[in-house]
Amino acid sequence: TLITSAIKSIKDSGRVDENTANQIKVLIASANVDAVVLACTELSLLPKVLFKSIPLIDSLDVMVELCVNMNTTLNATGE
């Protein structure tokens, strides 16, 4: 599938080829969705410009924010 190809490309070369990126952009533009969830850490490396027309939830960004908040809370409480 398209997403599997994107993940494989990122794992192999650290990036997504232009053809796959364009296909993802077309898929998002034609889909009737309210948001996109990047629930795989490799997908966090997709160019964010692909998602500028729709809300994006990146699981890696969510995890980082949670870790920072937990650290801040623990430091504030002295734990």
Side-chain angles (χ1 to χ4, degrees):
T1 67
L2 180 59
I3 300 304
T4 302
S5 295
I7 292 169
K8 183 175 178 354
S9 178
I10 290 168
K11 285 184 174 185
D12 291 346
S13 67
R15 63 179 202 82
V16 175
D17 64 86
E18 189 174 335
N19 182 47
T20 301
N22 285 334
Q23 288 179 10
I24 291 171
K25 190 174 183 177
V26 168
L27 177 65
I28 291 168
S30 66
N32 185 22
V33 297
D34 295 322
V36 171
V37 176
L38 300 180
C40 173
T41 54
E42 285 84 9
L43 295 178
S44 295
L45 298 176
L46 287 172
K48 300 300 187 223
V49 69
L50 296 176
F51 308 102
K52 69 180 186 178
S53 65
I54 191 162
L56 174 67
I57 301 167
D58 185 337
S59 64
L60 189 58
D61 290 342
V62 172
M63 183 177 67
V64 167
E65 185 176 336
L66 178 63
C67 289
V68 169
N69 289 341
M70 286 178 62
N71 185 53
T72 302
T73 301
L74 290 174
N75 286 334
T77 61
E79 294 184 33

